[in-house]
Amino acid sequence: MLILTSTTLEGKKITKHHGLVTGDALLGANLYKDMFSGVRDVVGGRTTKYEEELKSARNLAIESMRQKAEEKGANAIIGTFVSYNNLGSTMGNTIMVTVYGTAVSFQE
Amino acid sequence: MVSSAKKYLIEKRWALIAIGLGTALGFASAILCIAWNLVIFGFNIMYIVSPLLAGFVETVIASKKYGRSTGAISALLTFMLINGYGWFGPGWIFPKEPVTLSLITIIAIVLTLQAAFPTLINYILFVGVVGTLTKLTGFLIRKPSQISAMLPENLEQQGITSQTDDIFLEELNIPLLTVHPLNGDKIDKYMGMVAGEAVAEEKQAEGRVSGLLKIIEPVQLDSINLGNARKTALSRMLEEAKAMGANAVEEVLIDYVSMGGLQGSATIVTATGTAILIEDGAAKTPEKESGEKLMGAIDDTDVSQIDGDDSGEKTSAPESHEKIKEKSDKKGDKISSKELSQRIEQYIHEKNHPSTLERETLVKNKFKDIGDRYNHISNELAQFEEKFAEYDAKYDAYINKKIHKIYGNVKMTRHADYKENRNVRIKEGIIGKEVLDVNLRVMGKVKEVRVNSHNQVESIIIGGGGILERFGLSKNDITIPFNRVSSLGDRILLKK
């Protein structure tokens, strides 16, 4: 499955547009709780742990989007857009990672 | 006049009753507190409870009967009464112990005042005091960034100077594009989406006070490490792209999401893009050309070079044979069976050539020569070895003798050294230790050890102790002969 942020496929012929596919993942974490509980990076003091969490959440979202596209019979997703949103109040934080794109079928 | 006063009294009677009742109750509670000795942390709770109770009762009655609050005058009255009594009174009911001006007393006074004049005191407390404190701390603890921000030159510079990631972007060998590449570059292959995240925290070096100030003041751009975070996010994305084997990333999008509430703020920086394999004009053509050249070269060599071998390099038959082999390897399946047979014939022809035979005999002779030489040299080596063995035996005895002698010398000196060292060690071990007499009383600390001419400890000197000893002025030093020492340990024990 080809997943692209580009809106076109250069040199390839898109045979069918299957429509919008989406995928979401929620990252329920309190950034500061994690930070102060000692999950600190040795260098720089920034949590790479949190960044890793973000990455895994993004991968989860993409994976669910990919499955939906596969069910539709597409072999590529173009115009993919990854969006990170902050949900929740001031205290706890939930980060929502949303991925959406257009599922298409293309020929070489 | 009288009637107006009467009218006033009637009008305010409930207020007066409320104040009177409150004061009475406060006073009564104070008496009870004294009587039952309700003391917490060495402080009688009446100083807080009584005014509060008075104020409470007064407010309840006043709001029910009078219609509005009387402002907790009774609380103030009660407090004044109690304290006045404590400070100046004769001390019948209350013990004669003036209220000391402690923190709790001040708080009690403030509380009472606050109950009496809520608006004024609240204004002073929350606007006046906090405002002054904020100004003061802001003045005393000035952040470096604030100072730099104050200078107008620096402020201007901020816009111009490049952030960390600008330099980083210039050094990249993978081009990052936010658009679709169009100028003649052909996208060879789409590798897929790549992304990278990083968290930019606010710098938190300044501590708690300025953390509070942050709520009031706007956040400075350079107090958030955005440049670094962007660099991290981009480089993570690039790593992914590199792992996929791409040589460019197109349609890069950088996004910022703020997170975190009152406790501070962090910004997630994300970068997404599509990894692609670009085939641009400059890189493509030379590769193709060289490839064509190679093909052409192989085609040309087919027959002509072999012919050349035959005529020009007849003497080096084995070499040409190898060459042919190499060529056949190179060409692989391309060689026709006809060519192959031709070559084999040629090989056989060259092998039987007189010059080849001549060379063979020459090489054989050379090998024989080398063999002879080897034998000669090995013989000589064996002779040398024999001679060495002889010398070995001769010198062994002599060297052993010398070593024995030196060893003996070393032993002697070592023995002497040891004896001296032992005394020094004893000296170091003893000095500074406490000396106890027969009754286990501490006499003092060992100041010096005296050693006689035979390297034996003769006596120990104990410092007299006291401050004077520290300055070396004490004259009360005690000299104790070493034979009076009964045991040496952490402390030195004396015998009679």
Side-chain angles (χ1 to χ4, degrees):
Chain A
M1 176 72 69
L2 201 57
I3 298 171
L4 307 171
T5 58
S6 328
T7 47
T8 53
L9 268 171
E10 201 184 85
K12 276 135 192 158
K13 200 187 161 203
I14 293 171
T15 51
K16 197 185 173 187
H17 284 86
H18 293 278
L20 189 77
V21 278
T22 59
D24 312 296
L26 282 177
L27 178 61
N30 190 330
L31 174 62
Y32 292 94
K33 223 185 244 174
D34 293 346
M35 271 181 191
F36 294 125
S37 65
V39 205
R40 277 190 173 250
D41 202 5
V42 183
V43 188
R46 178 169 296 149
T47 53
T48 49
K49 174 84 184 136
Y50 198 76
E51 284 157 3
E52 275 166 29
E53 288 282 311
L54 269 174
K55 193 179 172 184
S56 70
R58 186 234 309 158
N59 285 339
L60 250 159
I62 289 173
E63 185 56 33
S64 82
M65 179 181 74
R66 203 178 61 80
Q67 275 175 12
K68 282 175 199 167
E70 254 170 23
E71 277 168 24
K72 288 187 174 186
N75 61 2
I77 300 167
I78 57 167
T80 312
F81 196 82
V82 186
S83 166
Y84 303 77
N85 292 293
N86 186 13
L87 305 180
S89 61
T90 52
M91 297 306 288
N93 270 297
T94 311
I95 301 288
M96 184 177 70
V97 183
T98 314
V99 191
Y100 54 91
T102 310
V104 293
S105 294
F106 74 93
Q107 273 184 343
E108 289 285 336
Chain B
M1 194 70 188
V2 180
S3 65
S4 70
K6 209 172 180 182
K7 201 180 168 192
Y8 178 81
L9 274 177
I10 290 162
E11 212 172 80
K12 300 262 175 186
R13 68 183 188 283
W14 276 114
L16 291 172
I17 287 168
I19 290 167
L21 254 171
T23 315
L25 227 103
F27 214 70
S29 72
I31 292 168
L32 278 179
C33 282
I34 296 286
W36 294 338
N37 199 23
L38 300 176
V39 177
I40 297 169
F41 301 127
F43 176 79
N44 201 309
I45 59 166
M46 72 166 181
Y47 294 115
I48 288 172
V49 167
S50 299
L52 277 178
L53 191 73
F56 177 71
V57 168
E58 185 201 324
T59 313
V60 166
I61 292 171
S63 61
K64 277 205 172 156
K65 297 285 178 187
Y66 181 56
R68 60 190 182 89
S69 171
T70 48
I73 295 165
S74 66
L76 198 63
L77 269 173
T78 313
F79 189 76
M80 296 279 198
L81 254 165
I82 293 168
N83 281 310
Y85 211 86
W87 271 320
F88 310 111
W92 308 323
I93 313 161
F94 305 121
K96 180 89 175 159
E97 47 168 38
V99 178
T100 47
L101 203 70
S102 66
L103 189 71
I104 298 170
T105 330
I106 291 166
I107 290 169
I109 291 169
V110 169
L111 266 175
T112 326
L113 285 170
Q114 201 258 340
F117 312 106
T119 326
L120 177 76
I121 300 296
N122 280 352
Y123 182 81
I124 290 170
L125 268 181
F126 291 102
V127 181
V129 175
V130 172
T132 318
L133 273 175
T134 315
K135 284 273 178 221
L136 216 86
T137 45
F139 181 74
L140 290 175
I141 307 158
R142 188 163 285 172
K143 291 180 284 182
S145 59
Q146 272 179 304
I147 290 167
S148 66
M150 275 181 169
L151 304 169
E153 299 148 337
N154 274 11
L155 207 69
E156 273 168 37
Q157 259 187 354
Q158 261 179 29
I160 302 159
T161 48
S162 55
Q163 278 184 300
T164 34
D165 60 328
D166 287 345
I167 305 152
F168 160 76
L169 285 174
E170 278 163 22
E171 285 170 357
L172 275 182
N173 50 1
I174 291 188
L176 286 174
L177 312 165
T178 57
V179 291
H180 192 68
L182 278 175
N183 55 337
D185 299 345
K186 197 187 154 225
I187 295 171
D188 209 36
K189 203 183 170 191
Y190 285 101
M191 303 311 248
M193 205 191 82
V194 284
E197 290 99 354
V199 176
E201 275 178 73
E202 251 179 79
K203 284 171 194 163
Q204 293 188 327
E206 283 92 13
R208 295 224 164 244
V209 183
S210 53
L212 275 173
L213 291 176
K214 241 174 238 162
I215 299 169
I216 306 162
E217 285 162 13
V219 178
Q220 302 277 334
L221 184 64
D222 65 334
S223 70
I224 305 177
N225 223 337
L226 266 185
N228 262 335
R230 195 159 49 216
K231 182 182 164 187
T232 316
L234 281 174
S235 55
R236 274 182 194 154
M237 185 184 76
L238 279 174
E239 265 168 40
E240 214 172 296
K242 253 182 206 167
M244 283 174 168
N247 64 1
V249 182
E250 67 158 7
E251 308 211 359
V252 176
L253 192 110
I254 300 174
D255 199 13
Y256 306 88
V257 182
S258 163
M259 57 174 302
L262 287 170
Q263 289 156 309
S265 68
T267 308
I268 304 173
V269 182
T270 59
T272 50
T274 304
I276 50 171
L277 201 65
I278 285 187
E279 225 183 73
D280 63 351
K284 188 171 66 183
T285 36
E287 210 177 320
K288 225 177 181 180
E289 270 174 25
S290 64
E292 277 168 9
K293 249 184 200 167
L294 208 70
M295 290 288 284
I298 290 166
D299 287 338
D300 287 344
T301 44
D302 261 342
V303 192
S304 63
Q305 272 198 2
I306 293 161
D307 287 348
D309 283 351
D310 212 352
S311 57
E313 299 172 44
K314 267 182 184 170
T315 43
S316 55
E319 264 181 48
S320 64
H321 164 57
E322 268 177 24
K323 261 191 184 169
I324 290 161
K325 224 180 161 188
E326 263 178 33
K327 270 172 199 159
S328 62
D329 277 350
K330 249 189 208 165
K331 286 172 194 172
D333 303 331
K334 274 192 175 179
I335 302 162
S336 61
S337 55
K338 195 182 166 192
E339 274 175 46
L340 202 70
S341 61
Q342 205 179 354
R343 273 179 212 174
I344 291 165
E345 264 175 39
Q346 193 190 344
Y347 172 67
I348 292 163
H349 167 74
E350 275 176 6
K351 207 191 168 187
N352 293 332
H353 202 271
S355 69
T356 322
L357 293 175
E358 204 175 287
R359 278 220 153 192
E360 261 184 31
T361 48
L362 235 150
V363 171
K364 267 183 193 166
N365 283 340
K366 276 229 162 155
F367 267 119
K368 216 180 173 184
D369 253 25
I370 289 164
D372 282 349
R373 266 195 187 175
Y374 173 75
N375 280 338
H376 184 70
I377 287 165
S378 58
N379 274 342
E380 274 188 353
L381 277 174
Q383 275 177 23
F384 272 124
E385 258 173 34
E386 268 174 40
K387 267 190 185 174
F388 273 128
E390 254 178 59
Y391 282 121
D392 263 5
K394 221 175 182 179
Y395 282 110
D396 241 14
Y398 176 72
I399 287 165
N400 271 343
K401 219 168 143 189
K402 273 247 159 167
I403 286 172
H404 267 292
K405 208 175 163 187
I406 291 164
Y407 186 70
N409 281 345
V410 168
K411 222 176 174 181
M412 269 163 70
T413 45
R414 217 188 248 170
H415 191 66
D417 262 11
Y418 175 73
K419 243 185 171 177
E420 219 157 74
N421 276 342
R422 187 171 152 269
N423 278 322
V424 172
R425 253 183 286 148
I426 285 173
K427 222 172 150 178
E428 278 178 358
I430 288 174
I431 284 174
K433 273 180 180 162
E434 279 184 339
V435 179
L436 306 179
D437 67 0
V438 191
N439 301 324
L440 291 179
R441 260 189 322 180
V442 178
M443 290 176 78
K445 282 181 179 174
V446 178
K447 205 171 145 195
E448 223 182 296
V449 177
R450 219 167 255 170
V451 181
N452 65 5
S453 57
H454 298 289
N455 267 338
Q456 282 169 335
V457 179
E458 201 172 51
S459 56
I460 53 178
I461 294 162
I462 300 167
I467 276 183
L468 283 175
E469 194 220 331
R470 298 219 173 152
F471 299 108
L473 296 170
S474 175
K475 285 167 187 170
N476 308 336
D477 290 354
I478 307 160
T479 309
I480 292 166
F482 197 66
N483 54 21
R484 265 191 69 200
V485 172
S486 92
S487 73
L488 285 168
D490 280 345
R491 287 163 174 186
I492 296 162
L493 213 70
L494 301 183
K495 57 190 171 190
K496 264 191 178 172

